[in-house]
Amino acid sequence: QVQLVESGGGLVQAGDSMRLSCSASIRTFSSDPVGWFRQAPGKAREFVAVINWSGSTIFYEDSLKGRFTISRDNAKNTVYLQMNSLKPEDTAVYYCAVGPSGGYRRWTDYRYWGQGTQVTVSS
């Protein structure tokens, strides 16, 4: 069974930065793309970013480019999401996911999900 664990969330003020982490098995992080999604209150789960096994291919939701950066360190079994200049609109539960098939932008494309970490940005 694949286990994914997100961490790094919490309560911050608008303009702050924070880094989320996603940890999984060595095999997963050495071979599989990893995506980040978020789900805000009352909204559908939304694609944030995805990164392939080597980090050579990265895609972001267009509206988040420039503020969010995805990266991975396979030696540490960890994928990161660096979030800068946070806004109240970024408040959501953030999830990482692995095993995309048929696409990468839809939550239904992924096979395995973490439990999520809450990010709350106050105004």
Side-chain angles (χ1 to χ4, degrees):
Q1 180 175 316
V2 175
Q3 286 189 301
L4 300 169
V5 180
E6 302 95 335
S7 62
L11 175 63
V12 297
Q13 293 184 330
D16 285 353
S17 298
M18 67 191 316
R19 187 181 71 170
L20 306 182
S21 299
C22 173
S23 297
S25 69
I26 294 175
R27 183 172 182 177
T28 296
F29 278 89
S30 66
S31 62
D32 291 344
V34 178
W36 281 99
F37 286 75
R38 66 184 186 181
Q39 189 162 22
K43 297 183 65 177
R45 194 167 299 184
E46 176 187 33
F47 171 75
V48 173
V50 66
I51 186 169
N52 77 334
W53 71 272
S54 68
S56 62
T57 301
I58 294 172
F59 297 107
Y60 296 96
E61 177 65 26
D62 286 343
S63 64
L64 301 178
K65 292 186 71 173
R67 292 198 300 119
F68 287 16
T69 303
I70 189 171
S71 62
R72 68 191 301 164
D73 186 340
N74 291 339
K76 295 182 178 180
N77 305 342
T78 303
V79 171
Y80 304 100
L81 183 69
Q82 177 68 41
M83 305 185 295
N84 298 327
S85 301
L86 284 164
K87 306 174 182 179
E89 306 93 89
D90 297 319
T91 295
V93 177
Y94 284 72
Y95 300 90
C96 66
V98 299
S101 178
Y104 63 88
R105 294 184 57 85
R106 296 149 69 176
W107 70 270
T108 51
D109 293 330
Y110 292 79
R111 287 175 286 172
Y112 306 106
W113 292 83
Q115 83 290 343
T117 185
Q118 176 71 50
V119 173
T120 302
V121 184
S122 66
S123 60

